[in-house]
Amino acid sequence: MKSLAQLGLTARGGAEAQITGLAVDSREVKPGYLFAALPGARVHGGEFIQYALRMKAGAILTDAKGAEIAAKELAASDAALIVAQDPRQALAQTASLWFGAHPATVVAVTGTNGKTSVTTFCRQIWEELDLPGVNLGTTGVEGAWNYPLKHTTPEPITLHRVLAEAAQNGITHVAMEASSHGLDQRRLDGVILAAAGFSNFSQDHLDYHETFEAYFAAKMGLFERVLSDDGVAVINLDDPKGSEVAAICTARGQEIIGVGRHTDARLRLTGQRFDATGQDLLFEWQGRARQTRLDLIGGFQAENVLLAAALVTAAGADPVDVFDTLQYLTTVRGRMELAATRASGAAVFVDYAHTPDAVQTALKAMRPHVMGRIIVIVGAGGDRDAGKRPLMGAAAAQNADIVIVTDDNPRSEDPAAIRAAVMAGALGAGGTDSITEVGDRAEAILRGIDMLGAGDALLIAGKGHETGQTVGDTVLPFDDVEQASVAVAALEGWL
C-alpha cells in the first residue's frame, strides 16, 4: 500500500488515498485501487470510471476529458481525482514507483526492423560475459529468466511489474524493444535507460500513425523523452534517418556512438566476406581494427550485431571483452533461421520480414550466400497498413528468382483481397512466369521446397517465430519452421 504522494501524484483539492493496486481495466479494480481512465482510439476510458467507482476504486487518474465524462459520478464519490495533461505518461511514472526497483542496467532499441535481433544479441553478449540478462519484446522475456508477453512493448503496469520481478529474480541487465506504439503511448516512460539504440526506418504501422512524420516522431520519443540527457545514443549512421537521429541527440547533449560503414562511425564495419554458413567481419572500434567470425546468414546481421555490441559497451561493458563474444552469437528464432536442408544441400530459411524494406534486405542479404536460385514465400497481414502490400510484392519480385504469394495472418480481412494486392505489386515488378499465388500457407511451403535444386535456397518470410496463424478471430496452430521440416521430410521420404 502506498500513498498518492509516494507515487508522485497530487489529487484535486489535496485529497489523499492509500493505494492498494493499479488497473487500466475497470473489471480488474479492487477496493483501494488506482484506476487509470485513459483516452483511447474509439472510446475514452472516462466512460468506465463509473464502473471503477462501483468497485470502490480509491483514486482515479485521467485527463480533463475523462473527468468531464464522469463528473456526476466523481462528485458523488470519495475517490481521489488526479487530472493529468498526459495521463499515459503519469501512469507509467506511477507504475514505476509502485512496483519498485528495476534491473540496474537497461538498454532499449527502436527502429522498423531488427529490434528483436539486436536485443537478443545484447542478451547473448551479457551471457558470454557471465552477466544475468534478458531481452524483452516480441518473443516475450527470454534469457536467465523467462516470462510471456502479449505485446512487443507491454502497457506500463505490465512492463514495470515485469521489470521489478526480473530484478527480484536476480536479473541485472535488460535489453528492451521499444515499439513505435509503445513509445507513442508513453509505455516506456519511467524506465531509466543506460543507452538507447536506433536501427533503421522504413514503412510500417501507417494504419496507426497515418504519416511517416508521425511514425518517426513516435520513435524519436525514445531519445527525446525516455533517454536522459546523460544517456548514450547508439545510432546506425548508414540509415538515411541516422543523421537526423544524431542531430536530435546532439541537441540534447547525449553521447553518440555511431555504427555502420559511415566514416563518422566509432564502431565501423570495414569489410565482410560471405560463405554458405556465415560471414567474416572486419571492423574498427575508434580507429583500431578487429576481425571476427559470425555464424549468421545475411549481411544485415553484421549491422545488428555491431549495434548490440555498441549498446552493451555504452551500458558499461569493456569493449574488448564484448568483441571477443561475437563469434559465439547464434541465430535468433525466426530471424534468418535455418529451418531445414534438403538432401541436395538446398537450404530453407524462415524470417520475420513483414515490411517491404525487410523483405528486400533479407533477400539481398541472402544472395552472397546462395550459388543458385532464391525462392521466396511472401504475404501480408490483415488489419494492418494496406499500403505496404503491393510494395512487399514488388520487393519480393525484384530480389528473388521465384515468388510464391500466400496468406500471412489475414485476421478479419478477405485473404484473397490481401493476396491480390501483394500479387499486383509482384506482377508489376517481375516476370509473370516466376510469380505464383498459393493461398494455403502449408501448401505454399511444400511447393516452394519442392522447387529447390542443388545450390538453391528458400526464404519463408513474414511470420518468423510465430506459432499461430490468425484467421478471423481464430488463431490456428502454425509454425513456419515446423512446416518446413515436415515438408522436407515428406519430400525426401524420411517420414
Side-chain angles (χ1 to χ4, degrees), residues 41 69 127-128 178 218 263 390 426 476:
I69 291 172
E127 287 175 343
E128 292 294 331
T263 54
L476 304 172

Side-chain angles (χ1 to χ4, degrees), residues 148-169:
L149 297 175
K150 294 181 179 179
H151 302 286
T152 298
T153 306
E155 48 81 20
I157 295 176
T158 298
L159 175 60
H160 290 281
R161 174 173 53 78
V162 168
L163 288 173
E165 289 183 13
Q168 292 162 14
N169 281 276

Side-chain angles (χ1 to χ4, degrees), residues 158-230:
T158 298
L159 175 60
H160 290 281
R161 174 173 53 78
V162 168
L163 288 173
E165 289 183 13
Q168 292 162 14
N169 281 276
I171 301 303
T172 58
H173 291 69
V174 178
M176 295 177 54
E177 296 180 47
S179 70
S180 59
H181 291 72
L183 289 164
D184 186 58
Q185 295 174 13
R186 307 299 197 263
R187 297 177 193 173
L188 279 82
D189 289 57
V191 178
I192 299 175
L193 299 178
F198 170 78
S199 61
N200 49 63
F201 182 80
S202 61
Q203 181 170 344
D204 200 12
H205 303 306
L206 295 189
D207 54 313
Y208 175 86
H209 297 288
E210 296 186 354
T211 67
F212 279 100
E213 291 76 16
Y215 179 35
F216 183 70
K219 289 193 173 298
M220 289 306 97
L222 180 63
F223 303 95
E224 295 178 314
R225 194 183 65 253
V226 182
L227 183 65
S228 65
D229 291 349
D230 60 357

Side-chain angles (χ1 to χ4, degrees), residues 238-420:
D238 292 342
D239 188 83
K241 285 287 189 179
S243 59
E244 190 171 342
V245 180
I248 289 171
C249 297
T250 298
R252 291 199 63 198
Q254 293 162 338
E255 179 184 351
I256 295 174
I257 297 179
V259 174
R261 295 172 178 80
H262 198 283
T263 54
D264 291 339
R266 290 168 62 185
L267 183 53
R268 187 182 179 200
L269 180 61
T270 57
Q272 283 176 283
R273 183 176 62 196
F274 304 96
D275 56 43
T277 61
Q279 56 195 290
D280 294 303
L281 301 187
L282 284 175
F283 63 94
E284 295 178 353
W285 167 245
Q286 300 188 145
R288 189 168 183 176
R290 298 266 317 197
Q291 181 175 348
T292 195
R293 169 72 182 179
L294 296 181
D295 291 327
L296 303 168
I297 299 296
F300 66 90
Q301 292 285 31
E303 300 171 6
N304 291 334
V305 166
L306 293 184
L307 193 65
L311 279 166
V312 172
T313 298
D318 183 281
V320 175
D321 293 338
V322 170
F323 300 146
D324 286 342
T325 71
L326 303 186
Q327 61 186 308
Y328 304 112
L329 300 182
T330 58
T331 303
V332 179
R333 172 158 165 73
R335 273 67 178 173
M336 206 58 81
E337 178 181 1
L338 178 61
T341 305
R342 294 213 62 173
S344 65
V348 182
F349 295 94
V350 169
D351 192 77
Y352 193 51
H354 59 283
T355 68
D357 180 68
V359 171
Q360 174 178 282
T361 298
L363 290 170
K364 282 187 173 180
M366 284 181 67
R367 188 64 70 180
H369 300 275
V370 179
M371 291 186 290
R373 303 170 303 167
I374 294 179
I375 303 168
V376 64
I377 294 173
V378 65
D383 302 335
R384 299 294 187 270
D385 180 6
K388 71 180 183 181
R389 295 170 188 172
L391 300 178
M392 290 180 68
Q398 289 165 352
N399 295 283
D401 300 294
I402 298 174
V403 178
I404 301 175
V405 175
T406 191
D407 290 342
D408 191 288
N409 292 312
R411 300 185 176 88
S412 70
E413 290 193 61
D414 177 10
I418 299 174
R419 293 196 305 272

Side-chain angles (χ1 to χ4, degrees), residues 404-488:
I404 301 175
V405 175
T406 191
D407 290 342
D408 191 288
N409 292 312
R411 300 185 176 88
S412 70
E413 290 193 61
D414 177 10
I418 299 174
R419 293 196 305 272
V422 179
M423 281 291 291
L427 291 171
T432 56
D433 293 341
S434 62
I435 300 168
T436 308
E437 179 180 355
V438 181
D440 183 89
R441 193 172 182 88
E443 181 184 349
I445 291 172
L446 181 65
R447 286 202 197 182
I449 292 174
D450 192 35
M451 294 178 184
L452 290 172
D456 295 343
L458 169 66
L459 177 68
I460 306 171
K463 291 174 56 59
H465 64 282
E466 294 177 357
T467 56
Q469 184 178 33
T470 306
V471 181
D473 295 326
T474 304
V475 179
L476 304 172
F478 199 99
D479 185 317
D480 282 352
V481 173
E482 181 180 289
Q483 287 292 326
S485 298
V486 170
V488 167

